Amino acid sequence: MLNPVIDEDGAPFWEFTARGELRIQACAEEDCGELRFPPRPCCPHCQSFATEWRLMSGRGRIWSYVLPHPPLLPDYAAQAPYNAVLVELADAPRIRLAGNVVTAPDAPLNSLDPARLRIGAPVRVAFTEIDGVAVPRWLLERG
Amino acid sequence: MLKDATAIVGIGQTAFAKQLPETEKALACRAILAALDDAGIAPSEVDAFASYTMEETDEVEVAKAIGAGDVTFFSKVGYGGGGSCATVGHLAAAVATGQASVGVAWRSRKRGSGPRPWKNTAVQLPTPGQWTRPYGLLRPADEIGMLARRYMHEYGATRDHLFNVALACRNRANQNPAAIMYERPLTREMYMTSRWISEPLCLFDNCLETDGALACVVVSAARARDCRQKPVYVHSAAQGLPAQHHGMVNYWNDDPLTGPAWTAARHLWKTADFGPQDVDVAQIYDAFTPLIPLSLEGYGFCGRGEGAAFTEGGALELGGRLPLNTGGGGLSEAYVHGFNLITEGVKQLRGTSTAQVPSAATCLVTAGEGVPTSALLLRS
Ligand SMILES: [Zn+2]
């Protein structure tokens, strides 16, 4: 599997996931506070470099999804077809995180019957550790 | 002003195939020399080069190999397939402002027999790789499939709409002996029963992997009158990198379904003497079928959400409202990062296409949508 190749801007995200927290970068300027993703050095709204990482509820909805089939990299081909989704966060609908919907945090990428996926379906975050990195996974609400 | 100040006066290409024996450098030189010969201009007169990234043959090698003279302008546009039309735009600007007099743009590619970029696991760009690759969004088809699913959900677009796009391109390729899909018709049944690549995209929603090279020659309008071929004028040129855009994975934009095409289009039409309703034929970047409805909306041929319905009733076929990709496009002629769309646009305005639109006088050509892009309006 491909582990996240972490850059300086993104590092805090992964430090928080290691603690089981989903946090999104926000402007720390008093009268701004805009969330932004992917992380970057300064705020596109007010150009401030002051940042904080705001805790999210971990709830969201499926914005879209694909079911990749081979040819794929070997580790992914072994689980194909699997789902890859975009989740729009309940706390910040314009922030959309890529991920996978699975039946349990450590379950394989193809553990969920694709027939259960639909745009708009509510999901919540969980974390699984892959090679020392806590990676977010998504579970369907109510089951 | 750029408007009609320059013209494309030469085009050249190699054969297209799944596998060609020559190197990318050799293919590039063959295409460029063919384009110069088409124009009737000696290689020693070339003083400008423009290319775009993911091109492995650089201008130093090309200039040396073909016997160019002193070169006073060279540029390389970023973002792969989004840069195809920008090469002509850059050359037109250089020639129009007197920085050079004879410009060459080219694309050489061994994608059919060479490596796929997404298979490179050693080099993972930190952004966006960090936010998508671990989840198995590995290939451009997966990234565009994500937008396609959402587009279908929001606007009621169906696989039949995507098939309309694939079919129009294939029908034109069936008329083009140089196309990889010459004499290989496509049916709705073949489309609907083909294997998935990334649901909702199937095999026929994806472009061809191709070996081949193409080139074109740009000179001033005054010089163009003395060339061998009928000049094809660069009427308008634009690039587009929208606010808050994120290459390939535009998911973090406020509105991911309005991509770089919208930005390029605004400038393209602003500097043109005509509008979308006056375009006789279009060559729209088709690495994947969903890029066509999205681009039709972006370039103003229809309203937001109407791109899929636009494809109905044979609109993209010869004789339709907007004949599309008349050489077969990336889906069915050859996928050489869109450069064949430029040369096909030139053929249409010369009146020499294998699927000629009667008395075509205006043509839109676009580059890769979904990445920072570029576009051209050509006229005869
Ligand atoms: Zn701010």
Side-chain angles (χ1 to χ4, degrees):
Chain A
M1 305 296 280
L2 296 177
N3 246 358
V5 175
I6 296 168
D7 68 0
E8 241 171 72
D9 291 328
F13 179 90
W14 302 105
E15 287 160 19
F16 289 118
T17 62
R19 298 190 221 158
E21 292 178 357
L22 185 70
R23 285 182 183 261
I24 297 293
Q25 190 186 32
C27 179
E29 207 61 44
E30 206 174 307
D31 49 1
C32 181
E34 286 275 345
L35 289 161
R36 59 183 191 259
F37 188 85
R40 74 206 74 163
C42 57
C43 174
H45 298 273
C46 75
Q47 287 70 43
S48 169
F49 283 73
T51 66
E52 60 180 1
W53 285 77
R54 203 172 297 163
L55 186 64
M56 298 286 119
S57 68
R59 298 189 184 277
R61 289 181 183 276
I62 296 175
W63 185 85
S64 188
Y65 63 97
V66 290
L67 304 174
H69 292 246
L72 291 156
L73 295 171
D75 288 346
Y76 291 89
Q79 300 181 60
Y82 55 89
N83 69 71
V85 302
L86 275 186
V87 173
E88 53 183 3
L89 299 182
D91 316 278
R94 288 177 302 164
I95 306 285
R96 306 177 189 95
L97 297 181
N100 309 103
V101 182
V102 289
T103 53
D106 302 324
L109 297 188
N110 58 2
S111 55
L112 186 88
D113 176 0
R116 299 186 58 202
L117 287 167
R118 62 173 178 83
I119 288 177
V123 292
R124 63 188 157 86
V125 75
F127 298 93
T128 187
E129 195 182 305
I130 301 176
D131 297 332
V133 179
V135 176
R137 292 273 186 262
W138 298 90
L139 307 173
L140 286 178
E141 295 273 27
R142 294 184 296 275
Chain B
M1 279 294 285
L2 194 68
K3 192 190 295 176
D4 302 331
T6 63
I8 300 174
V9 291
I11 53 174
Q13 69 189 56
T14 66
F16 303 130
K18 192 83 183 165
Q19 195 154 9
L20 292 173
E22 289 189 299
T23 63
E24 282 185 350
K25 197 196 294 186
L27 294 171
C29 293
R30 286 193 188 282
I32 291 168
L33 290 171
L36 288 164
D37 183 58
D38 184 51
I41 292 175
S44 59
E45 289 194 67
V46 174
D47 57 4
F49 286 100
S51 63
Y52 47 122
T53 52
M54 301 173 83
E55 176 61 52
E56 300 294 328
T57 308
D58 68 35
E59 55 275 348
V60 172
E61 291 301 312
V62 168
K64 183 165 58 181
I66 67 165
D70 287 347
V71 174
T72 56
F73 178 94
F74 41 95
S75 77
K76 192 166 195 170
V77 187
Y79 313 104
S84 59
C85 292
T87 60
V88 173
H90 285 206
L91 290 176
V95 169
T97 54
Q99 296 178 79
S101 57
V102 176
V104 163
W106 80 99
R107 178 51 123 212
S108 179
R109 196 95 176 113
K110 293 194 77 167
R111 182 71 168 262
S113 57
R116 307 283 200 278
W118 55 265
K119 278 201 170 173
N120 189 340
T121 53
V123 182
Q124 250 199 94
L125 293 177
T127 309
Q130 185 176 195
W131 311 111
T132 57
R133 293 289 180 267
Y135 309 111
L137 282 170
L138 303 178
R139 307 160 299 180
D142 305 318
E143 293 160 341
I144 299 300
M146 192 73 88
L147 294 178
R149 168 98 60 188
R150 181 73 193 188
Y151 181 78
M152 294 161 97
H153 171 81
E154 276 193 34
Y155 297 117
T158 65
R159 293 191 68 211
D160 264 305
H161 291 121
L162 302 182
F163 168 65
N164 290 342
V165 172
L167 182 66
C169 290
R170 183 61 70 90
N171 286 343
R172 298 297 81 72
N174 292 162
Q175 295 173 259
N176 175 7
I180 289 184
M181 292 299 174
Y182 181 56
E183 292 182 327
R184 292 176 68 181
L186 177 68
T187 66
R188 186 175 180 277
E189 197 200 345
M190 285 164 69
Y191 177 89
M192 291 296 172
T193 58
S194 70
R195 64 187 172 89
W196 294 114
I197 300 298
S198 191
E199 293 178 54
L201 301 185
C202 71
L203 179 66
F204 295 110
D205 293 311
N206 290 261
C207 58
L208 305 166
E209 299 290 359
T210 309
D211 285 9
L214 303 105
C216 72
V217 181
V218 176
V219 300
S220 71
R223 170 87 188 252
R225 287 190 275 278
D226 300 327
C227 290
R228 263 180 205 160
Q229 302 283 355
K230 181 180 166 188
V232 170
Y233 296 97
V234 180
H235 184 69
S236 179
Q239 289 181 258
L241 196 176
Q244 297 298 307
H245 174 66
H246 202 109
M248 273 321 285
V249 281
N250 203 29
Y251 313 144
W252 304 302
N253 193 302
D254 280 0
D255 185 357
L257 297 181
T258 60
W262 274 255
T263 302
R266 278 190 288 274
H267 183 77
L268 197 69
W269 296 122
K270 192 174 69 189
T271 58
D273 289 345
F274 56 91
Q277 69 283 357
D278 307 308
V279 168
D280 294 325
V281 57
Q283 317 294 337
I284 299 180
Y285 197 92
D286 59 344
F288 305 99
T289 54
L291 298 184
I292 300 300
L294 290 170
S295 297
L296 289 169
E297 295 172 19
Y299 287 98
F301 293 99
C302 58
R304 174 78 191 264
E306 296 171 356
F310 187 100
T311 69
E312 293 170 1
L316 306 179
E317 304 282 343
L318 279 187
R321 191 168 154 199
L322 187 70
L324 176 80
N325 298 1
T326 43
L331 288 165
S332 279
E333 183 187 27
Y335 184 60
V336 270
H337 271 151
F339 212 96
N340 53 325
L341 300 174
I342 300 173
T343 54
E344 175 61 20
V346 171
K347 289 174 193 172
Q348 280 287 348
L349 300 184
R350 285 178 177 180
T352 60
S353 170
T354 50
Q356 185 63 40
V357 172
S359 61
T362 58
C363 180
L364 169 74
V365 188
T366 77
E369 170 61 349
V371 290
T373 193
S374 53
L376 294 169
L377 286 176
L378 303 177
R379 58 164 285 264
S380 56

